[in-house]
Amino acid sequence: MNITHTSRLVSTKAVGPAIYQQRFHQPTVARSAHAGQFVHVLPDGHNLFRRALSVYATDPDKGTFDVLHQVLGEGTRSLSRLEKGAEVDTLGPLGNRFPAPPKGRRAILVGGGLGMAPLRLWAYELAGAMVKRARGNEIDRKRLPLIMLGARTKDLTTKPYKLGKFGIRVQWATDDGSRGYHGTIVMRLREDVEKELLDPERSVVYGCGPEPMMAALAEECESFSIPCYVSLERSMPCGFGVCMGCVVRRRDGSAYETFSRVCRDGPVFNAADIIF
Amino acid sequence: MNITHTSRLVSTKAVGPAIYQQRFHQPTVARSAHAGQFVHVLPDGHNLFRRALSVYATDPDKGTFDVLHQVLGEGTRSLSRLEKGAEVDTLGPLGNRFPAPPKGRRAILVGGGLGMAPLRLWAYELAGAMVKRARGNEIDRKRLPLIMLGARTKDLTTKPYKLGKFGIRVQWATDDGSRGYHGTIVMRLREDVEKELLDPERSVVYGCGPEPMMAALAEECESFSIPCYVSLERSMPCGFGVCMGCVVRRRDGSAYETFSRVCRDGPVFNAADIIF
Amino acid sequence: MGPKKTKAPDLHVTIAGVEFATPIWTASGTAGTGEEIERHTDPSKLGALVTKSVSLEPRPGHPYPRTCETASGMLNCIGLQNKGIDAFIAEELPRLQRMKTRAVVNIVGNSIDDYVELAKRLDGQDGVDLLELNLSCPNVEKGIDQGSDPSWIGECVAGVRTVTKTPLVVKLTPNTNNIAALAVAAEQAGADAISAINTLVGMAVHHWKLSPRLSNVTGGLSGPAIKPVALAAVYKIVRAVEIPVIGIGGIANGLDAAEFLIVGASAVQVGTAIFRSPKAPIDIAQQLSDYLAQMEVESVSNLVGRLEA
Amino acid sequence: MGPKKTKAPDLHVTIAGVEFATPIWTASGTAGTGEEIERHTDPSKLGALVTKSVSLEPRPGHPYPRTCETASGMLNCIGLQNKGIDAFIAEELPRLQRMKTRAVVNIVGNSIDDYVELAKRLDGQDGVDLLELNLSCPNVEKGIDQGSDPSWIGECVAGVRTVTKTPLVVKLTPNTNNIAALAVAAEQAGADAISAINTLVGMAVHHWKLSPRLSNVTGGLSGPAIKPVALAAVYKIVRAVEIPVIGIGGIANGLDAAEFLIVGASAVQVGTAIFRSPKAPIDIAQQLSDYLAQMEVESVSNLVGRLEA
Ligand SMILES: Cc1cc2nc3c(=O)[nH]c(=O)nc-3n(C[C@H](O)[C@H](O)[C@H](O)COP(=O)(O)OP(=O)(O)OC[C@H]3O[C@@H](n4cnc5c(N)ncnc54)[C@H](O)[C@@H]3O)c2cc1C
Ligand SMILES: Cc1cc2nc3c(=O)[nH]c(=O)nc-3n(C[C@H](O)[C@H](O)[C@H](O)COP(=O)(O)OP(=O)(O)OC[C@H]3O[C@@H](n4cnc5c(N)ncnc54)[C@H](O)[C@@H]3O)c2cc1C
Ligand SMILES: Cc1cc2nc3c(=O)[nH]c(=O)nc-3n(C[C@H](O)[C@H](O)[C@H](O)COP(=O)(O)O)c2cc1C
Ligand SMILES: Cc1cc2nc3c(=O)[nH]c(=O)nc-3n(C[C@H](O)[C@H](O)[C@H](O)COP(=O)(O)O)c2cc1C
Ligand code: FES
Ligand code: FES
């Protein structure tokens, strides 16, 4: 499969402080990418490595896909400054996908910061499939995915793109209490379970966010026996599995398989399979 | 003396195929630079070295100086693409100046390609000084500097900036005869001497252009006993004399002084002092 | 009347009696064992695929972080993660046999015995066109010490030579004062070709965290930053030995490749550049072909060693 | 109420009993003998000025072209052009004595006798705060061979030690498999400090002209490209010796300098970066000061060796 593409920038929208939603025209990626997968973008000629960005939205009809990113260093900065119409060298879609919820379990999507990006597409896909299955009938809103997002403060919270049409709820937690729950989103999850607002036996958690948050989330889920899938971030020289740079430690590893590649065997892992 | 400056781009004018005249606002350089000197420009963050460009024109009143350059590689390309108002890190003015014509000798300025840049400023300075000395009286036009320029073909000939007001003549030679003399400008110089259009005993030659042309010019001048000063080009890591990279072989060299630094001891040399 | 027909330059090269479609190979550790390259490109357009170093026993490699970007280069301390020779032969060789490209199998050991044993196991296996001895890994304990000792190299190559008929390429380290002496030792012991260079020992530091950027503190430097070091190494080696030399280090485009050939390399390997694109070696071969056409050189072998010095 | 007063971090360092205003020095061969630095900057803001290598006899150096740009680096084959020790003492020392900065005089020879003789001539001269022995020049015939031999280094340093009381800094080559062993040899023979690294041997080629880009074919690689190699060298040396280490290689800003100090260097030298600007070392000292303030480190010596590895 050819994963080398040229993507043309369609639009750049500032959606938060140094946070941009960018839309690219690239029909192959638009049609084949699924939630959890990422594109590997070459920001410009001077960076040696590509930058990995989760697919945030797709429009297979228009042949576009969106990414959501925060300017951290040179790579994301030069990306954010591209002019409309600019052509960008992208590899992708790369990586695996979020696995479907086990039967009878509702998807709880727990994200921190820009970790929201793949979760938003996952919610969109899940809800879209529900609507399709309902064949015009009303859908059971209590089985819609629930999105729980954490941020440091209100200014850094960004509403996930176009989920309103499905009526998907977003619950917030901020470290300073400026929006939603006062505390981390993992704390909120725990309280919700304890208050029986969330039934561990009928939930499955999908997480994406900073590694310490994912570790806390996995621990919490383990204690409640909630299945938990996390999407991991790594510095990724290649993104397609040849450099062995982007590894995570496995729980069940043999001598050779102590480490799995996040770009190829992930980025989505069953939290029970890895060691943070 | 502080030679580190920030110069602001005032204008970029295309004056030939991939040839640009660019004006920068930098009062210190504008006031202190003289013909033969150069500025050392840092095109952008990605180039390790600066690029040397001769001062082509100055306007001490407005605080601007001009350069004339041809896009060859990355450095000149990024320079040519700068937006108006952009700030550029420049060192300068650097290097020595063209020495005044010996008494009784007329300045013959012989240039090839972009070598025209420092010669144009030299002609302007010489003519300006004549006008000043004349105190309002008519100047002796036969003692005005004569400019002789060579190029491959007519398309590459660029009229020196604003010399018309002094009535300075420009004679051309092109390799294909499409403008002026058919042949090299050094051949034209020889013919002019042979035809007694040019008196070797009453001339001094100032040259700037590709090294093989300068070598030919020096040889021709030597054979006619015309004093000859040439401005040399070198790859210049520093431009202010510390790296010892930009050397030319000296004729009179001692063990240590076999080589002179073009950036510091030049770029203008008496052709009799160096070995091409 | 159609456009002027010009014959495409001939890119074939022959090394140790083996013919290669192009002089542009992948470098060990940067193209896995071919699975991903096969998925994302047309491997028949590669000169050869050089596999990631395989050792006797499986190795886990070092923890994350294993790589970091540096000025025009990168550091890695992968630590030779590989599944060991048995699994390699069982699971990877069949693909290499099936793939329509030459395969160079790269082996690494802790001792001469290891190399000998590895070579024995691979001797006579279909799909191994050349054997590359990684005597130069900066990420194994004694990698640099042994690999910079000419007499150890001589012994190791001689040992391997007795147990295999497969042509031997010896891969050398640049972390030495005299890479030519290492090459001579390898040649005298029976090597069929030399490849150079492996990575330079390097390190990077988090200035905010006051910690090393690599889990193993130091790692191997590769990429465009080291191209000048690699060119000088090849220059010295080709003057010291008769056997062919394969140039490696910082090759990112066809002109880089040409420079190595001009200096005297018979082929080159592309490493870090693959991380930017799985198609890099194929693109580079095309750029080299374009360069040869511009230079009016009909066959790539006519470029080899053309340096006017 | 005024703005919060914060004391500027203390940049003083003491090496071999000599106090320096800042740990940011110039590197040999990149700031001449101070004339240009004095013309274009305020030398009193430099930690020290390290002069271009001086030899017994005047040397012409190599013909043009002597430098070329590479990816994030440069090559040079200046070839040690210098006016010789007699002219140096007569013409340059007076300026160094007058200049308001520490002066480190760098010497280079072909043999141990040369180094001893040079040290003798400079012993007791005013204005020589430290003597730096360039045992590592890639542009002299035996520079790398001798300079990568620990016993030769030991002999050379011991010889020089007997003829001078000036503290000795020994500058080492990275073109070796074991720079720590070289440092140990220097320390045991009486060196007061180690400086590392000198340039890596490299080469560049004109692909259109089929010729080397440097008149001397090979040259020394410097600049940001080699920073990882330099950091690894310093890391290894500080673990092997007790004497202070001065880090050199690719330092272009205050954070680069901080990284060397974190790894354990007591001071650093700035080379290639000066070519971009005569003010580079002074700017770097300011950036280092800003960094220390942000890290709330009061004195630069508290940063030295803080690596958490
Ligand atoms: C599978 C995957 C999906 C991702 N999706 C998104 C997304 O949708 N939106 C988003 O904003 N970011 C995402 N990231 C993180 C994003 O790749 C980094 O923020 C980005 O590479 C930073 O590059 P930079 O040049 O701006 O910063 P720099 O700090 O200059 O980057 C320097 C180097 O470090 C690496 N790096 C730095 N931070 C990270 C990090 N947190 N994770 C991994 N590598 C890092 C870079 O790739 C680069 O090699 C994702 C990462 C992965 C692995
Ligand atoms: C004193 C002096 C005055 C100059 N004045 C002018 C001028 O007025 N107008 C003009 O167009 N050019 C002038 N040049 C030449 C100009 O410096 C080079 O054309 C320019 O550096 C090319 O840079 P680049 O990045 O575009 O090309 P690249 O080819 O990418 O340059 C690569 C490297 O080679 C060096 N280099 C390449 N060609 C030359 C050359 N001919 N001479 C010296 N170094 C070179 C560059 O400095 C750089 O380090 C002058 C050179 C000197 C030394
Ligand atoms: C991530 C990575 C892993 C590598 N692994 C190996 C290896 O297993 N065996 C080996 O001989 N060389 C290995 N190398 C070295 C490369 O084969 C090559 O010699 C070096 O990277 C220089 O080439 P480059 O600049 O084109 O990358 C590795 C290099 C990198 C970057
Ligand atoms: C043009 C040039 C000339 C040099 N000359 C000398 C020298 O005479 N003596 C010496 O010990 N080192 C010399 N060096 C090496 C530098 O002092 C320094 O060790 C090296 O360049 C690495 O530092 P950098 O990357 O900051 O330049 C020279 C380096 C350059 C670039
Ligand atoms: S990024 Fe290279 S293997 Fe994952
Ligand atoms: S350019 Fe450095 S001495 Fe002239």
Side-chain angles (χ1 to χ4, degrees):
Chain A
M1 193 183 81
N2 186 14
I3 49 166
T4 317
H5 302 292
T6 301
S7 301
R8 190 166 39 74
L9 183 64
V10 175
S11 63
T12 301
K13 213 167 75 190
V15 295
I19 302 176
Y20 299 91
Q21 179 174 354
Q22 291 190 294
R23 179 162 299 165
F24 292 92
H25 183 79
Q26 213 315 302
T28 308
V29 175
R31 277 193 299 266
S32 58
H34 286 285
Q37 293 192 295
F38 63 96
V39 288
H40 215 22
V41 181
L42 199 58
D44 73 16
H46 291 107
N47 288 107
L48 191 66
F49 292 163
R50 293 168 183 268
R51 268 56 178 153
L53 294 174
S54 302
V55 179
Y56 181 49
T58 58
D59 188 331
D61 298 332
K62 296 207 177 119
T64 64
F65 71 91
D66 290 19
V67 296
L68 179 77
H69 68 87
Q70 188 166 16
V71 171
L72 284 185
E74 219 193 309
T76 44
R77 185 174 312 115
S78 67
L79 209 57
S80 70
R81 289 185 181 161
L82 283 181
E83 279 171 40
K84 201 180 138 167
E87 303 208 318
V88 178
D89 183 346
T90 46
L91 291 185
L94 296 167
N96 65 1
R97 306 159 50 168
F98 288 115
K103 220 178 150 62
R105 290 188 185 260
R106 181 190 186 192
I108 315 292
L109 279 42
V110 184
L114 275 286
M116 186 254 271
L119 298 178
R120 179 267 158 206
L121 183 58
W122 189 216
Y124 193 90
E125 284 182 9
L126 287 170
M130 280 175 72
V131 169
K132 211 171 161 193
R133 271 197 308 271
R135 303 186 187 217
N137 299 321
E138 191 73 4
I139 53 170
D140 177 359
R141 307 182 60 106
K142 274 176 295 186
R143 293 177 53 203
L144 272 175
L146 170 69
I147 301 191
M148 304 180 71
L149 297 176
R152 259 189 298 121
T153 180
K154 187 178 172 179
D155 289 351
L156 294 168
T157 61
T158 307
K159 205 173 137 221
Y161 179 64
K162 269 200 186 170
L163 291 184
K165 71 166 181 176
F166 295 116
I168 292 175
R169 277 171 59 211
V170 180
Q171 298 185 340
W172 289 98
T174 48
D175 295 354
D176 60 0
S178 54
R179 180 168 195 177
Y181 178 88
H182 189 159
T184 71
I185 194 70
V186 178
M187 284 161 63
R188 175 166 188 164
L189 177 83
R190 175 165 15 121
E191 282 194 20
D192 284 359
V193 175
E194 284 165 356
K195 290 182 188 156
E196 298 184 15
L197 299 170
L198 211 148
D199 180 355
E201 299 195 352
R202 315 208 55 178
S203 301
V204 50
V205 163
Y206 301 93
C208 187
E211 190 116 339
M213 175 184 165
M214 290 301 100
L217 180 65
E219 206 180 306
E220 220 52 79
C221 288
E222 201 182 342
S223 75
F224 293 125
S225 300
I226 309 176
C228 174
Y229 296 91
V230 291
S231 175
L232 299 181
E233 287 193 2
R234 287 291 181 274
S235 177
M236 291 188 168
C238 75
F240 57 97
V242 292
C243 76
M244 311 298 274
C246 61
V247 291
V248 61
R249 200 180 280 271
R250 288 169 59 143
R251 221 170 258 202
D252 66 340
S254 66
Y256 160 63
E257 289 182 321
T258 308
F259 296 104
S260 285
R261 292 164 297 180
V262 171
C263 71
R264 186 98 159 70
D265 309 319
V268 180
F269 291 89
N270 186 331
D273 291 344
I274 57 171
I275 300 173
F276 285 100
Chain B
M1 191 183 80
N2 185 15
I3 50 167
T4 316
H5 303 292
T6 300
S7 300
R8 191 166 39 74
L9 182 64
V10 176
S11 62
T12 301
K13 213 167 76 187
V15 295
I19 302 174
Y20 298 91
Q21 178 172 356
Q22 292 189 294
R23 178 162 301 165
F24 292 92
H25 182 79
Q26 214 315 301
T28 308
V29 175
R31 277 194 300 266
S32 59
H34 286 285
Q37 292 192 294
F38 64 97
V39 286
H40 216 22
V41 180
L42 198 57
D44 73 17
H46 291 106
N47 287 106
L48 191 68
F49 292 163
R50 292 169 183 269
R51 268 57 181 152
L53 295 173
S54 302
V55 179
Y56 181 49
T58 59
D59 188 330
D61 298 331
K62 296 208 176 116
T64 64
F65 71 91
D66 292 18
V67 297
L68 179 76
H69 67 88
Q70 187 165 17
V71 171
L72 283 185
E74 219 194 308
T76 44
R77 183 174 313 115
S78 65
L79 208 58
S80 71
R81 289 185 181 162
L82 282 181
E83 278 171 39
K84 201 178 139 168
E87 303 209 317
V88 178
D89 182 347
T90 47
L91 290 185
L94 296 167
N96 65 2
R97 306 161 49 169
F98 288 115
K103 221 179 147 63
R105 291 187 185 259
R106 180 190 187 196
I108 315 292
L109 279 42
V110 184
L114 274 288
M116 186 253 270
L119 299 178
R120 179 266 160 204
L121 183 58
W122 189 216
Y124 194 90
E125 284 182 10
L126 287 171
M130 280 175 70
V131 169
K132 208 167 162 198
R133 272 199 307 272
R135 303 185 186 220
N137 297 323
E138 191 73 4
I139 55 171
D140 177 0
R141 307 183 56 107
K142 274 177 295 185
R143 293 179 50 206
L144 271 176
L146 170 68
I147 301 192
M148 303 181 70
L149 297 177
R152 258 190 301 118
T153 180
K154 187 177 173 181
D155 289 349
L156 294 169
T157 60
T158 308
K159 207 175 136 219
Y161 179 66
K162 270 200 182 169
L163 291 183
K165 71 167 183 178
F166 296 115
I168 292 174
R169 276 171 60 210
V170 180
Q171 298 185 340
W172 289 98
T174 49
D175 294 354
D176 61 0
S178 53
R179 181 167 193 175
Y181 179 88
H182 189 158
T184 71
I185 195 71
V186 178
M187 285 161 63
R188 176 166 187 164
L189 177 83
R190 173 163 21 119
E191 280 193 21
D192 284 359
V193 176
E194 283 166 357
K195 289 182 186 154
E196 297 184 14
L197 298 171
L198 210 147
D199 181 354
E201 299 194 354
R202 317 211 52 182
S203 301
V204 51
V205 163
Y206 301 93
C208 186
E211 190 117 341
M213 175 185 164
M214 290 301 100
L217 181 66
E219 204 181 309
E220 219 53 77
C221 288
E222 200 182 344
S223 76
F224 292 126
S225 302
I226 308 176
C228 174
Y229 297 92
V230 291
S231 176
L232 299 181
E233 287 192 3
R234 287 291 181 274
S235 177
M236 291 187 169
C238 75
F240 58 96
V242 292
C243 76
M244 311 297 274
C246 62
V247 291
V248 60
R249 199 181 281 271
R250 287 169 59 143
R251 218 170 261 201
D252 65 340
S254 65
Y256 160 65
E257 289 182 320
T258 309
F259 296 104
S260 286
R261 292 164 298 180
V262 170
C263 72
R264 185 97 160 73
D265 309 320
V268 180
F269 290 89
N270 186 333
D273 292 343
I274 58 172
I275 301 172
F276 286 99
Chain C
M1 260 177 49
K4 200 177 141 202
K5 260 195 215 147
T6 45
K7 235 179 71 188
D10 180 5
L11 292 185
H12 284 83
V13 295
T14 302
I15 289 175
V18 184
E19 202 186 315
F20 298 85
T22 91
I24 314 292
W25 307 1
T26 66
S28 178
T30 63
T33 50
E35 190 207 333
E36 294 79 11
I37 295 295
E38 191 180 41
R39 280 183 66 198
H40 301 309
T41 71
D42 177 357
S44 74
K45 291 187 176 156
L46 282 179
L49 182 103
V50 182
T51 57
K52 168 102 189 137
S53 287
V54 61
S55 53
L56 273 182
E57 306 294 331
R59 292 195 193 186
H62 295 301
Y64 183 82
R66 291 177 166 186
T67 66
C68 96
E69 247 177 298
T70 67
S72 297
M74 70 175 281
L75 289 167
N76 89 79
C77 68
I78 306 300
L80 294 171
Q81 174 170 359
N82 81 93
K83 51 174 77 167
I85 189 69
D86 292 338
F88 178 87
I89 290 174
E91 297 161 22
E92 308 297 336
L93 255 192
R95 187 192 20 263
L96 292 174
Q97 288 158 358
R98 204 190 60 235
M99 260 170 81
K100 286 190 189 61
T101 182
R102 293 285 181 200
V104 178
V105 175
N106 179 300
I107 59 177
V108 73
N110 289 324
S111 63
I112 294 178
D113 288 349
D114 285 1
Y115 285 96
V116 171
E117 182 59 29
L118 284 160
K120 257 191 210 158
R121 304 262 189 111
L122 286 164
D123 186 45
Q125 295 279 6
D126 246 27
V128 185
D129 293 304
L130 302 177
L131 212 57
E132 184 174 59
L133 275 51
N134 175 2
L135 304 187
S136 45
C137 188
N139 290 321
V140 293
E141 221 183 303
K142 290 180 292 183
I144 302 294
D145 284 352
Q146 297 177 342
S148 59
D149 175 359
S151 62
W152 186 89
I153 288 184
E155 252 183 80
C156 184
V157 175
V160 171
R161 183 70 292 170
T162 59
V163 300
T164 183
K165 277 176 223 77
T166 315
L168 297 180
V169 183
V170 175
K171 185 166 177 181
L172 299 177
T173 179
N175 301 284
T176 169
N177 62 323
N178 193 349
I179 199 167
L182 308 183
V184 168
E187 180 181 44
Q188 287 174 348
D192 298 282
I194 301 292
S195 58
I197 57 175
N198 209 317
T199 53
L200 283 158
V201 176
M203 174 177 180
V205 175
H206 269 296
H207 39 257
W208 301 120
K209 301 191 201 162
L210 303 177
S211 63
R213 285 185 185 266
L214 295 178
S215 66
N216 200 39
V217 185
T218 60
L221 182 66
S222 62
I226 70 166
K227 192 182 76 169
V229 175
L231 281 169
V234 170
Y235 177 79
K236 287 176 183 172
I237 296 169
V238 295
R239 267 156 195 71
V241 300
E242 301 283 319
I243 52 178
V245 177
I246 298 150
I248 322 171
I251 296 171
N253 59 49
L255 299 177
D256 293 335
E259 290 166 15
F260 279 85
L261 299 172
I262 291 165
V263 167
S266 302
V268 299
Q269 297 178 11
V270 174
T272 302
I274 294 180
F275 302 160
R276 280 172 74 119
S277 165
K279 288 196 309 182
I282 295 173
D283 292 344
I284 290 171
Q286 183 57 51
Q287 291 155 3
L288 177 64
S289 174
D290 295 346
Y291 164 83
L292 291 170
Q294 272 183 278
M295 295 289 287
E296 299 180 16
V297 174
E298 281 168 25
S299 160
V300 71
S301 48
N302 292 343
L303 188 70
V304 173
R306 282 277 295 278
L307 187 77
E308 287 156 17
Chain D
M1 261 176 47
K4 199 175 139 204
K5 257 196 216 151
T6 46
K7 234 179 73 188
D10 179 6
L11 292 185
H12 284 84
V13 294
T14 302
I15 290 175
V18 184
E19 202 185 317
F20 298 86
T22 91
I24 314 292
W25 307 0
T26 67
S28 177
T30 64
T33 49
E35 190 207 334
E36 294 80 10
I37 294 294
E38 190 179 42
R39 280 183 65 198
H40 301 310
T41 71
D42 176 357
S44 74
K45 292 187 177 159
L46 282 180
L49 183 104
V50 182
T51 57
K52 168 102 190 137
S53 287
V54 61
S55 52
L56 274 181
E57 306 294 330
R59 292 195 191 186
H62 294 301
Y64 183 82
R66 290 176 167 189
T67 67
C68 96
E69 245 176 301
T70 67
S72 297
M74 70 174 282
L75 289 166
N76 89 78
C77 68
I78 306 301
L80 294 171
Q81 173 170 359
N82 81 91
K83 52 174 74 166
I85 190 68
D86 292 338
F88 177 88
I89 289 172
E91 296 161 24
E92 307 298 336
L93 255 192
R95 187 191 21 261
L96 292 174
Q97 289 158 356
R98 203 191 60 234
M99 259 169 83
K100 284 190 190 61
T101 182
R102 294 284 180 198
V104 178
V105 175
N106 179 301
I107 59 176
V108 72
N110 289 324
S111 63
I112 294 177
D113 288 349
D114 284 2
Y115 285 96
V116 172
E117 182 60 29
L118 283 159
K120 256 191 213 159
R121 305 263 188 109
L122 286 165
D123 185 46
Q125 294 278 5
D126 246 24
V128 185
D129 293 301
L130 301 178
L131 212 57
E132 183 175 58
L133 275 50
N134 175 4
L135 304 187
S136 48
C137 189
N139 290 321
V140 292
E141 221 184 302
K142 289 180 292 181
I144 302 293
D145 285 351
Q146 297 176 341
S148 59
D149 175 359
S151 63
W152 186 88
I153 288 185
E155 252 184 81
C156 183
V157 175
V160 171
R161 183 71 293 169
T162 60
V163 299
T164 181
K165 276 177 224 73
T166 315
L168 297 181
V169 184
V170 175
K171 184 166 177 181
L172 298 177
T173 178
N175 301 285
T176 168
N177 62 323
N178 195 350
I179 200 167
L182 308 183
V184 168
E187 180 181 44
Q188 286 174 349
D192 297 281
I194 301 292
S195 58
I197 57 176
N198 210 316
T199 53
L200 282 157
V201 176
M203 173 176 181
V205 175
H206 270 295
H207 39 257
W208 301 120
K209 300 193 202 159
L210 304 177
S211 64
R213 286 185 185 266
L214 296 178
S215 66
N216 201 39
V217 185
T218 61
L221 183 65
S222 62
I226 71 166
K227 191 183 75 168
V229 175
L231 281 168
V234 170
Y235 177 78
K236 288 175 181 170
I237 296 168
V238 295
R239 266 153 197 73
V241 300
E242 301 283 319
I243 51 179
V245 176
I246 298 150
I248 323 171
I251 295 170
N253 59 50
L255 299 178
D256 293 336
E259 290 166 14
F260 279 85
L261 300 173
I262 291 166
V263 168
S266 302
V268 299
Q269 296 179 11
V270 174
T272 303
I274 294 180
F275 302 160
R276 280 172 74 120
S277 165
K279 286 197 309 180
I282 294 171
D283 292 343
I284 291 171
Q286 182 57 52
Q287 291 156 3
L288 177 65
S289 174
D290 295 345
Y291 164 83
L292 291 170
Q294 273 183 277
M295 295 289 286
E296 299 180 16
V297 173
E298 280 168 25
S299 158
V300 72
S301 47
N302 292 343
L303 189 69
V304 173
R306 281 277 296 278
L307 187 76
E308 286 156 18

